[in-house]
């Protein structure tokens, strides 16, 4: 049995536009995604700092080199243990590994699944507090559909990026493109 701790977004001006998107159905989905990534990057420690890390790039490399999800997961778990660099972002990288092997292009699918999971997490940690007749999502069913839409759109954004990272600098360039694309996304 495990435990889960919710870490909501800060209640400050940086996150207010995101929370307005959870409240008001008139705010388009693309705007909600833009605001999520804008706020995530305008924190004291931008989310991209963790995404750009060696350990996340290592996960990408292992997916590129491993013949199947089991081998990639095993290798990445070993890497996390030996490097002592586990984090919530690394957990989402790990969670994206099985999805990567549902495609002929595992590395590209992993990148898409990883950013989709990460974006979905950001929504999940706050949006459940905005369910009811006065909010965008009137029920838990609507909230789940909203979160799935966000994940799907995040995946589409990442799928549109043609960079194939071969080294850490390429990875950082890809992450920069992914976040820029997310912040300027238009459905």
């Amino acid at each position: 049995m495990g435990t889960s701790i919710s870490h909501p977004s800060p209640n400050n001006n940086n996150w207010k536009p995101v929370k307005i998107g959870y409240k008001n159905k008139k705010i388009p989905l693309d705007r909600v995604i833009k605001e999520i990534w804008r706020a995530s990057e305008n924190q004291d420690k931008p989310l991209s700092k963790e995404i750009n890390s060696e350990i996340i790039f290592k996960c990408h490399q292992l997916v590129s080199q491993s013949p199947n999800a089991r081998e990639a997961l095993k290798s990445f778990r070993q890497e996390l243990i030996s490097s002592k660099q586990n984090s919530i972002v690394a957990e989402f990288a790990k969670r994206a590994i099985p999805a990567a092997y549902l495609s002929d292009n595992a590395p590209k699918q992993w990148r898409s699944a990883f950013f989709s999971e990460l974006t979905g997490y950001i929504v999940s940690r706050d949006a459940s507090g905005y369910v009811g007749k006065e909010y965008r999502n009137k029920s838990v069913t609507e909230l789940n559909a909203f979160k799935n839409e966000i994940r799907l759109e995040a995946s589409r954004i990442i799928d549109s990026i043609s960079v194939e990272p071969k080294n850490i600098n390429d990875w950082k360039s890809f992450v920069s493109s992914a976040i820029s694309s997310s912040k300027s996304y238009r459905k």
Side-chain angles (χ1 to χ4, degrees), residues 120-174:
Y121 164 72
I122 295 167
V123 172
S124 292
R125 69 186 187 182
D126 295 322
S128 61
Y130 298 94
V131 177
K133 65 182 182 178
E134 70 273 16
Y135 298 118
R136 171 186 210 118
N137 298 297
K138 311 295 183 220
S139 67
V140 173
T141 301
E142 284 186 22
L143 174 63
N144 287 334
F146 173 72
K147 290 190 292 187
N148 286 335
E149 268 188 90
I150 292 277
R151 283 186 189 102
L152 183 61
E153 290 305 317
S155 182
R156 286 184 184 140
I157 292 166
I158 302 309
D159 282 345
S160 71
I161 300 169
S162 60
V163 175
E164 185 64 43
K166 301 288 185 208
N167 56 51
I168 190 68
N169 290 330
D170 289 350
W171 174 248
K172 289 178 180 183
S173 176
F174 169 79

Side-chain angles (χ1 to χ4, degrees), residues 75-144:
S75 297
F76 189 55
R77 283 185 188 122
Q78 290 171 339
E79 191 67 36
L80 287 171
I81 291 167
S82 67
S83 69
K84 298 178 183 171
Q85 292 184 37
N86 204 5
S87 67
I88 189 75
V89 173
E91 285 299 313
F92 285 109
K94 185 170 41 173
R95 189 181 289 185
I97 291 172
Y101 291 88
L102 299 175
S103 165
D104 290 340
N105 187 339
K108 182 176 182 175
Q109 182 64 29
W110 177 84
R111 294 188 301 269
S112 177
F114 171 58
F115 272 89
S116 175
E117 287 283 339
L118 206 48
T119 306
Y121 164 72
I122 295 167
V123 172
S124 292
R125 69 186 187 182
D126 295 322
S128 61
Y130 298 94
V131 177
K133 65 182 182 178
E134 70 273 16
Y135 298 118
R136 171 186 210 118
N137 298 297
K138 311 295 183 220
S139 67
V140 173
T141 301
E142 284 186 22
L143 174 63
N144 287 334

Side-chain angles (χ1 to χ4, degrees), residues 47-65:
L47 189 55
S48 61
K49 184 170 179 155
E50 282 191 65
I51 299 169
N52 275 330
S53 69
E54 290 276 346
I55 195 68
I56 303 303
F57 175 63
K58 184 65 175 177
C59 185
H60 181 268
Q61 281 183 307
L62 291 169
V63 169
S64 298
Q65 299 164 356

Side-chain angles (χ1 to χ4, degrees), residues 30 33-41 48 51-52 115 119 154 157-158 160-161 163 171-186:
D30 61 322
I33 292 170
K34 285 179 191 180
E35 294 300 338
I36 287 168
W37 283 99
R38 181 205 49 77
S40 295
E41 287 301 288
S48 61
I51 299 169
N52 275 330
F115 272 89
T119 306
I157 292 166
I158 302 309
S160 71
I161 300 169
V163 175
W171 174 248
K172 289 178 180 183
S173 176
F174 169 79
V175 171
S176 178
S177 293
I179 292 171
S180 291
S181 294
S182 296
K183 288 174 18 181
S184 64
Y185 176 66
R186 196 149 209 78

